[in-house]
Amino acid sequence: MAVCDIIYSVCQICTFNNAFMTGLPEINLRVIHWLMSASVLTVAFLSGCIGIDLMLAVVSHSTRIANRIRPWYEVASFFLGFVITHPFLYLYKSVQWAEVAQIFHIYAKPAYYKMTSWLTMWGWLFSICTFLFLIMCATVLKMHRELMGKTSYIARSKDAEGFTPYEHTPMSKERQRYIRSVCIRILAYPLIPIITQIWVLAANMTSEAPMWLYVMANIVPAIQGVLNFLAFTANPAWDQYRNKLIKKYQVMRQGRSASASAATSNENDSGFSRLVEDGTMCNSPSASSLQFNVEKC
């Protein structure tokens, strides 16, 4: 996804320069338009692969099949994303740059453009978002069934004869809470593409998109990489390392607070000794009562 984000960001930076885009020949405009569309569709296919992995590993428990096809996710996504959108290079009659609106102006019949754009771009994106939504609902139902319908997990223990009978042990609330948090964090992967790409779909499904929807369709998909990074850092596989870092930070903080309190006590002791040496402490009423109590004891 990082490669697609880089491609899209570089092309987006180019579109911000009107003078640069206006001076480009038509073939370069077609290439930039193709790269932007291909990167968006590739990210959508990669997100769809996450949904496939969830369906195989979590919903249907087919981890063997998931492990076999997992190395091909990136290759298949890049291949499909750039091949399906490559007709943008030659499909339309003319592609120009609209300097005032800062968008690509494609010369084609509206019905023909809508049909071809849905076949090469938006139809795939809509299908992937729908698939991710269904997978997310299936994962939620699976999680609810595991937590509510089955409140015990099976533990094996060998007896004297070597058999392994099943022992049902009640699931603790802490374990239920942890499983629930893990499932919620896993659901962030299919949820992020839906949140970021729904604006693009809405802008292209309307005949005349309002300005705020056009702005959201250009801004929100750009933060998908940041959201994916946050979801990756919240991955349950990193819990062990994250807890170690938190413990180290807590130990360092406690050490700093202990050293600060020790320094403060040393300063108070030195100030007290200085007052006694100067005679200030002996002349005060509180000092006299203090010395009296000490001598009395």
PDB file of all heavy atoms in Angstrom, residues 172-188:
ATOM      1  N   SER A 172     -12.538 -16.598  31.536  1.00  0.00           N
ATOM      2  CA  SER A 172     -12.526 -15.447  32.427  1.00  0.00           C
ATOM      3  C   SER A 172     -12.966 -14.183  31.693  1.00  0.00           C
ATOM      4  O   SER A 172     -12.899 -14.099  30.462  1.00  0.00           O
ATOM      5  CB  SER A 172     -11.129 -15.250  33.013  1.00  0.00           C
ATOM      6  OG  SER A 172     -10.194 -14.984  31.980  1.00  0.00           O
ATOM      7  N   LYS A 173     -13.399 -13.209  32.469  1.00  0.00           N
ATOM      8  CA  LYS A 173     -13.816 -11.940  31.863  1.00  0.00           C
ATOM      9  C   LYS A 173     -12.644 -11.208  31.220  1.00  0.00           C
ATOM     10  O   LYS A 173     -12.812 -10.510  30.222  1.00  0.00           O
ATOM     11  CB  LYS A 173     -14.458 -11.058  32.928  1.00  0.00           C
ATOM     12  CG  LYS A 173     -15.793 -11.582  33.430  1.00  0.00           C
ATOM     13  CD  LYS A 173     -16.421 -10.606  34.404  1.00  0.00           C
ATOM     14  CE  LYS A 173     -17.780 -11.111  34.889  1.00  0.00           C
ATOM     15  NZ  LYS A 173     -18.408 -10.159  35.841  1.00  0.00           N
ATOM     16  N   GLU A 174     -11.463 -11.376  31.797  1.00  0.00           N
ATOM     17  CA  GLU A 174     -10.282 -10.736  31.209  1.00  0.00           C
ATOM     18  C   GLU A 174      -9.983 -11.304  29.835  1.00  0.00           C
ATOM     19  O   GLU A 174      -9.658 -10.563  28.900  1.00  0.00           O
ATOM     20  CB  GLU A 174      -9.085 -10.932  32.134  1.00  0.00           C
ATOM     21  CG  GLU A 174      -7.824 -10.234  31.657  1.00  0.00           C
ATOM     22  CD  GLU A 174      -6.662 -10.435  32.612  1.00  0.00           C
ATOM     23  OE1 GLU A 174      -6.889 -11.079  33.672  1.00  0.00           O
ATOM     24  OE2 GLU A 174      -5.570  -9.969  32.294  1.00  0.00           O
ATOM     25  N   ARG A 175     -10.122 -12.640  29.688  1.00  0.00           N
ATOM     26  CA  ARG A 175      -9.888 -13.257  28.390  1.00  0.00           C
ATOM     27  C   ARG A 175     -10.957 -12.831  27.390  1.00  0.00           C
ATOM     28  O   ARG A 175     -10.657 -12.572  26.213  1.00  0.00           O
ATOM     29  CB  ARG A 175      -9.871 -14.778  28.540  1.00  0.00           C
ATOM     30  CG  ARG A 175      -9.582 -15.514  27.231  1.00  0.00           C
ATOM     31  CD  ARG A 175      -9.502 -17.006  27.461  1.00  0.00           C
ATOM     32  NE  ARG A 175      -9.327 -17.729  26.220  1.00  0.00           N
ATOM     33  CZ  ARG A 175      -8.165 -17.906  25.607  1.00  0.00           C
ATOM     34  NH1 ARG A 175      -7.057 -17.408  26.132  1.00  0.00           N
ATOM     35  NH2 ARG A 175      -8.088 -18.574  24.482  1.00  0.00           N
ATOM     36  N   GLN A 176     -12.207 -12.759  27.829  1.00  0.00           N
ATOM     37  CA  GLN A 176     -13.262 -12.291  26.946  1.00  0.00           C
ATOM     38  C   GLN A 176     -13.004 -10.864  26.482  1.00  0.00           C
ATOM     39  O   GLN A 176     -13.203 -10.521  25.309  1.00  0.00           O
ATOM     40  CB  GLN A 176     -14.612 -12.372  27.661  1.00  0.00           C
ATOM     41  CG  GLN A 176     -15.087 -13.788  27.951  1.00  0.00           C
ATOM     42  CD  GLN A 176     -16.427 -13.801  28.637  1.00  0.00           C
ATOM     43  OE1 GLN A 176     -17.121 -12.776  28.682  1.00  0.00           O
ATOM     44  NE2 GLN A 176     -16.804 -14.941  29.187  1.00  0.00           N
ATOM     45  N   ARG A 177     -12.539 -10.014  27.404  1.00  0.00           N
ATOM     46  CA  ARG A 177     -12.240  -8.638  27.060  1.00  0.00           C
ATOM     47  C   ARG A 177     -11.093  -8.554  26.050  1.00  0.00           C
ATOM     48  O   ARG A 177     -11.123  -7.752  25.119  1.00  0.00           O
ATOM     49  CB  ARG A 177     -11.898  -7.867  28.333  1.00  0.00           C
ATOM     50  CG  ARG A 177     -12.436  -6.466  28.336  1.00  0.00           C
ATOM     51  CD  ARG A 177     -12.395  -5.775  29.686  1.00  0.00           C
ATOM     52  NE  ARG A 177     -11.474  -6.317  30.643  1.00  0.00           N
ATOM     53  CZ  ARG A 177     -11.835  -6.881  31.782  1.00  0.00           C
ATOM     54  NH1 ARG A 177     -13.105  -7.029  32.088  1.00  0.00           N
ATOM     55  NH2 ARG A 177     -10.933  -7.332  32.637  1.00  0.00           N
ATOM     56  N   TYR A 178     -10.088  -9.396  26.238  1.00  0.00           N
ATOM     57  CA  TYR A 178      -8.943  -9.388  25.326  1.00  0.00           C
ATOM     58  C   TYR A 178      -9.348  -9.872  23.937  1.00  0.00           C
ATOM     59  O   TYR A 178      -8.953  -9.280  22.920  1.00  0.00           O
ATOM     60  CB  TYR A 178      -7.835 -10.276  25.885  1.00  0.00           C
ATOM     61  CG  TYR A 178      -6.616 -10.351  24.992  1.00  0.00           C
ATOM     62  CD1 TYR A 178      -5.732  -9.273  24.896  1.00  0.00           C
ATOM     63  CD2 TYR A 178      -6.372 -11.489  24.241  1.00  0.00           C
ATOM     64  CE1 TYR A 178      -4.628  -9.337  24.069  1.00  0.00           C
ATOM     65  CE2 TYR A 178      -5.269 -11.559  23.406  1.00  0.00           C
ATOM     66  CZ  TYR A 178      -4.393 -10.483  23.328  1.00  0.00           C
ATOM     67  OH  TYR A 178      -3.318 -10.551  22.498  1.00  0.00           O
ATOM     68  N   ILE A 179     -10.155 -10.940  23.879  1.00  0.00           N
ATOM     69  CA  ILE A 179     -10.609 -11.444  22.575  1.00  0.00           C
ATOM     70  C   ILE A 179     -11.458 -10.400  21.866  1.00  0.00           C
ATOM     71  O   ILE A 179     -11.345 -10.187  20.651  1.00  0.00           O
ATOM     72  CB  ILE A 179     -11.388 -12.759  22.763  1.00  0.00           C
ATOM     73  CG1 ILE A 179     -10.451 -13.863  23.275  1.00  0.00           C
ATOM     74  CG2 ILE A 179     -12.040 -13.190  21.461  1.00  0.00           C
ATOM     75  CD1 ILE A 179     -11.147 -15.156  23.593  1.00  0.00           C
ATOM     76  N   ARG A 180     -12.304  -9.704  22.621  1.00  0.00           N
ATOM     77  CA  ARG A 180     -13.133  -8.668  22.024  1.00  0.00           C
ATOM     78  C   ARG A 180     -12.284  -7.517  21.474  1.00  0.00           C
ATOM     79  O   ARG A 180     -12.536  -7.013  20.377  1.00  0.00           O
ATOM     80  CB  ARG A 180     -14.128  -8.144  23.058  1.00  0.00           C
ATOM     81  CG  ARG A 180     -15.204  -7.243  22.474  1.00  0.00           C
ATOM     82  CD  ARG A 180     -16.146  -6.741  23.542  1.00  0.00           C
ATOM     83  NE  ARG A 180     -16.954  -7.822  24.090  1.00  0.00           N
ATOM     84  CZ  ARG A 180     -16.816  -8.312  25.310  1.00  0.00           C
ATOM     85  NH1 ARG A 180     -15.881  -7.833  26.135  1.00  0.00           N
ATOM     86  NH2 ARG A 180     -17.588  -9.286  25.741  1.00  0.00           N
ATOM     87  N   SER A 181     -11.260  -7.110  22.228  1.00  0.00           N
ATOM     88  CA  SER A 181     -10.390  -6.025  21.756  1.00  0.00           C
ATOM     89  C   SER A 181      -9.591  -6.454  20.536  1.00  0.00           C
ATOM     90  O   SER A 181      -9.381  -5.661  19.606  1.00  0.00           O
ATOM     91  CB  SER A 181      -9.446  -5.591  22.878  1.00  0.00           C
ATOM     92  OG  SER A 181      -8.544  -6.637  23.205  1.00  0.00           O
ATOM     93  N   VAL A 182      -9.158  -7.723  20.500  1.00  0.00           N
ATOM     94  CA  VAL A 182      -8.428  -8.225  19.339  1.00  0.00           C
ATOM     95  C   VAL A 182      -9.303  -8.208  18.096  1.00  0.00           C
ATOM     96  O   VAL A 182      -8.888  -7.761  17.016  1.00  0.00           O
ATOM     97  CB  VAL A 182      -7.898  -9.650  19.617  1.00  0.00           C
ATOM     98  CG1 VAL A 182      -7.405 -10.309  18.334  1.00  0.00           C
ATOM     99  CG2 VAL A 182      -6.763  -9.609  20.630  1.00  0.00           C
ATOM    100  N   CYS A 183     -10.538  -8.669  18.221  1.00  0.00           N
ATOM    101  CA  CYS A 183     -11.454  -8.689  17.079  1.00  0.00           C
ATOM    102  C   CYS A 183     -11.773  -7.282  16.589  1.00  0.00           C
ATOM    103  O   CYS A 183     -11.858  -7.044  15.379  1.00  0.00           O
ATOM    104  CB  CYS A 183     -12.734  -9.425  17.456  1.00  0.00           C
ATOM    105  SG  CYS A 183     -12.499 -11.181  17.808  1.00  0.00           S
ATOM    106  N   ILE A 184     -11.941  -6.359  17.520  1.00  0.00           N
ATOM    107  CA  ILE A 184     -12.236  -4.978  17.114  1.00  0.00           C
ATOM    108  C   ILE A 184     -11.064  -4.373  16.372  1.00  0.00           C
ATOM    109  O   ILE A 184     -11.224  -3.678  15.353  1.00  0.00           O
ATOM    110  CB  ILE A 184     -12.609  -4.140  18.350  1.00  0.00           C
ATOM    111  CG1 ILE A 184     -13.959  -4.606  18.910  1.00  0.00           C
ATOM    112  CG2 ILE A 184     -12.666  -2.654  18.010  1.00  0.00           C
ATOM    113  CD1 ILE A 184     -14.343  -3.940  20.208  1.00  0.00           C
ATOM    114  N   ARG A 185      -9.843  -4.643  16.826  1.00  0.00           N
ATOM    115  CA  ARG A 185      -8.670  -4.109  16.143  1.00  0.00           C
ATOM    116  C   ARG A 185      -8.469  -4.752  14.777  1.00  0.00           C
ATOM    117  O   ARG A 185      -8.029  -4.102  13.841  1.00  0.00           O
ATOM    118  CB  ARG A 185      -7.433  -4.307  17.015  1.00  0.00           C
ATOM    119  CG  ARG A 185      -7.345  -3.329  18.178  1.00  0.00           C
ATOM    120  CD  ARG A 185      -6.100  -3.522  18.985  1.00  0.00           C
ATOM    121  NE  ARG A 185      -6.165  -4.710  19.821  1.00  0.00           N
ATOM    122  CZ  ARG A 185      -5.175  -5.133  20.591  1.00  0.00           C
ATOM    123  NH1 ARG A 185      -4.041  -4.472  20.609  1.00  0.00           N
ATOM    124  NH2 ARG A 185      -5.315  -6.207  21.343  1.00  0.00           N
ATOM    125  N   ILE A 186      -8.818  -6.039  14.655  1.00  0.00           N
ATOM    126  CA  ILE A 186      -8.730  -6.696  13.353  1.00  0.00           C
ATOM    127  C   ILE A 186      -9.756  -6.113  12.392  1.00  0.00           C
ATOM    128  O   ILE A 186      -9.494  -5.975  11.186  1.00  0.00           O
ATOM    129  CB  ILE A 186      -8.913  -8.215  13.525  1.00  0.00           C
ATOM    130  CG1 ILE A 186      -7.701  -8.808  14.249  1.00  0.00           C
ATOM    131  CG2 ILE A 186      -9.105  -8.904  12.186  1.00  0.00           C
ATOM    132  CD1 ILE A 186      -7.832 -10.274  14.571  1.00  0.00           C
ATOM    133  N   LEU A 187     -10.928  -5.748  12.895  1.00  0.00           N
ATOM    134  CA  LEU A 187     -11.975  -5.177  12.040  1.00  0.00           C
ATOM    135  C   LEU A 187     -11.592  -3.817  11.481  1.00  0.00           C
ATOM    136  O   LEU A 187     -12.238  -3.335  10.543  1.00  0.00           O
ATOM    137  CB  LEU A 187     -13.277  -5.061  12.830  1.00  0.00           C
ATOM    138  CG  LEU A 187     -13.998  -6.363  13.159  1.00  0.00           C
ATOM    139  CD1 LEU A 187     -15.214  -6.081  14.010  1.00  0.00           C
ATOM    140  CD2 LEU A 187     -14.390  -7.097  11.900  1.00  0.00           C
ATOM    141  N   ALA A 188     -10.561  -3.183  12.027  1.00  0.00           N
ATOM    142  CA  ALA A 188     -10.146  -1.880  11.521  1.00  0.00           C
ATOM    143  C   ALA A 188      -9.610  -1.980  10.094  1.00  0.00           C
ATOM    144  O   ALA A 188      -9.746  -1.033   9.306  1.00  0.00           O
ATOM    145  CB  ALA A 188      -9.078  -1.266  12.431  1.00  0.00           C
TER     146      ALA A 188
END
